[in-house]
């Protein structure tokens, strides 16, 4: 049976920093435009809701964390669900998620019926991201079965983690979403390799931002170059792209400005790619190489109680 063709769009645009309602309004406008163009799946960049804090010190010089640096963002999930339902698309959205007193860099999956399908939390924040973002665990590595294919997401530099990629391939990911904050040319090599390695479509969405999109110094300072920047200086150049399972560039990379970048995904190409190379199938050599994934929540504290005979009664 022939596999369907899926119209997919990746969004390359900037957050409205420190203004979540305005960011949601912008997201809906972009989503509506993509849906009007026939898109069935729309992927937004890393941390689009909440903002990727490029250039921020988080108010966190050594031994000095300011109240401003403690500001918290959380996704407006109800609004996102309503947007996906209104425009009848699968929505993959990068958000900053608040759980208890911890923030996570996450991706939410929402159906065209407006149903929350699941989330992925970034396993390992990169560099200074660790100042404010917590670490995900194996309980949020979903690959979601949908009528348009099996959809999953891996965020930015955790795409460089070969064992994480292998776990996603073993779950059967077909439309591999890679929201990112990396606009360097080397990122293109990463996403093309993943497409070839996994025999999957890779949809990489990044923000395109100018200096004027961010708060002014001293809150946000772009290293030693700040004095050389004008309001229109580009500080994140995008590079969003869509790659086929055979490593072909279907759309992008775009370094020109904010854009909607679309392509038609022929899902039959997945089988053709994996006929030659199936990394978790006939190329796996499981008698030599194997991977164990702990796909349950990592708990800092576990309580056990024992009965009179010393056997466990309960575990939380």
């Amino acid at each position: 049976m022939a596999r369907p063709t899926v119209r997919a769009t990746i969004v390359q645009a900037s957050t409205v920093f420190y203004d979540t309602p305005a960011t949601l309004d912008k997201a809906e406008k972009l989503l509506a435009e993509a849906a009007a163009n026939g898109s069935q799946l729309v992927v937004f960049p890393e941390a689009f809701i909440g903002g990727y804090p490029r250039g921020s010190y988080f108010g966190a010089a050594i031994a000095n964390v300011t109240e401003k640096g403690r500001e918290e963002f959380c996704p407006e999930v109800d609004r996102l669900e309503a947007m996906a339902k209104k425009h009848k698309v699968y929505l993959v959205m990068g958000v900053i998620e608040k759980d208890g007193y911890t923030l996570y860099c996450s991706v939410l999956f929402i159906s065209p019926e407006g149903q929350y399908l699941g989330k992925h939390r970034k396993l390992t924040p990169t560099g200074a991201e660790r100042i404010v973002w917590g670490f995900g665990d194996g309980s949020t590595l979903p690959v979601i079965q949908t009528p348009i294919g099996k959809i999953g997401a891996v965020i930015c530099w955790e795409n460089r983690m070969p064992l994480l990629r292998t776990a996603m391939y073993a779950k059967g990911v077909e439309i591999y979403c890679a929201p990112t904050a990396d606009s360097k040319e080397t990122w293109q090599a990463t996403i093309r390799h993943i497409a070839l390695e996994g025999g999957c479509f890779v949809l990489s969405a990044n923000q395109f931002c100018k200096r004027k999109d961010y708060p002014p110094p001293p809150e946000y300072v772009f290293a030693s170059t700040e004095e050389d920047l004008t309001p229109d200086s580009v500080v994140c150049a995008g590079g969003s792209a869509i790659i086929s399972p055979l490593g072909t560039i279907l759309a992008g990379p775009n370094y020109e400005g904010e854009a909607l970048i679309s392509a038609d995904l022929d899902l039959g190409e997945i089988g053709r790619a994996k006929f030659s190379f199936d990394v978790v199938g006939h190329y796996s050599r499981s008698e030599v190489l194997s991977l164990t994934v702990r796909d349950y929540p990592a708990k800092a504290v576990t309580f056990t109680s024992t009965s009179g005979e010393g056997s466990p009664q309960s575990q939380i």
Side-chain angles (χ1 to χ4, degrees), residues 50-239:
Y52 185 83
R54 186 187 311 276
S56 174
Y57 284 103
F58 301 109
I62 298 299
N64 178 31
V65 179
T66 68
E67 288 306 310
K68 184 66 173 178
R70 299 183 196 273
E71 287 190 356
E72 300 168 334
F73 296 95
C74 63
E76 299 290 341
V77 178
D78 291 345
R79 175 79 182 275
L80 296 175
E81 290 173 341
M83 287 163 47
K85 183 176 182 179
K86 177 180 178 180
H87 299 291
K88 299 179 174 59
V89 298
Y90 284 95
L91 174 59
V92 179
M93 176 64 78
V95 303
I96 301 305
E97 175 199 5
K98 179 174 176 286
D99 185 2
Y101 297 98
T102 299
L103 301 180
Y104 297 94
C105 181
S106 300
V107 169
L108 304 184
F109 303 88
I110 300 172
S111 78
E113 293 75 36
Q115 295 177 327
Y116 167 81
L117 299 176
K119 68 184 174 188
H120 166 57
R121 286 178 175 171
K122 195 172 189 178
L123 280 179
T124 303
T126 300
E129 294 173 2
R130 297 169 193 164
I131 295 173
V132 290
W133 292 347
F135 288 64
D137 60 37
S139 66
T140 62
L141 301 177
V143 169
I144 297 168
Q145 176 74 63
T146 78
I148 65 168
K150 298 176 182 178
I151 303 171
V154 180
I155 305 169
C156 204
W157 277 14
E158 63 176 358
N159 280 284
R160 295 183 175 188
M161 300 168 68
L163 301 185
L164 173 55
R165 298 199 308 267
T166 302
M168 297 299 287
Y169 304 149
K171 290 189 173 189
V173 66
E174 296 176 326
I175 301 175
Y176 184 116
C177 303
T180 188
D182 189 344
S183 60
K184 295 188 293 295
E185 183 181 355
T186 51
W187 178 251
Q188 302 304 314
T190 295
I191 59 177
R192 290 190 76 180
H193 173 76
I194 292 169
L196 283 167
E197 181 180 67
C200 53
F201 290 95
V202 176
L203 281 58
S204 179
N206 192 9
Q207 297 194 33
F208 182 93
C209 306
K210 296 182 178 180
R211 181 63 186 91
K212 64 185 178 184
D213 294 320
Y214 293 83
E219 187 175 345
Y220 276 64
V221 178
F222 291 88
S224 60
T225 62
E226 183 68 35
E227 63 274 13
D228 300 324
L229 298 180
T230 70
D232 286 321
S233 294
V234 174
V235 295
C236 183

Side-chain angles (χ1 to χ4, degrees), residues 304-314:
T304 60
S305 301
T306 57
S307 65
E309 290 88 21
S311 60
Q313 288 182 323
S314 64

Side-chain angles (χ1 to χ4, degrees), residues 288-301:
V288 180
L289 306 168
S290 63
L291 170 66
T292 300
V293 179
R294 297 170 184 85
D295 61 355
Y296 47 82
K299 296 183 178 181
V301 180

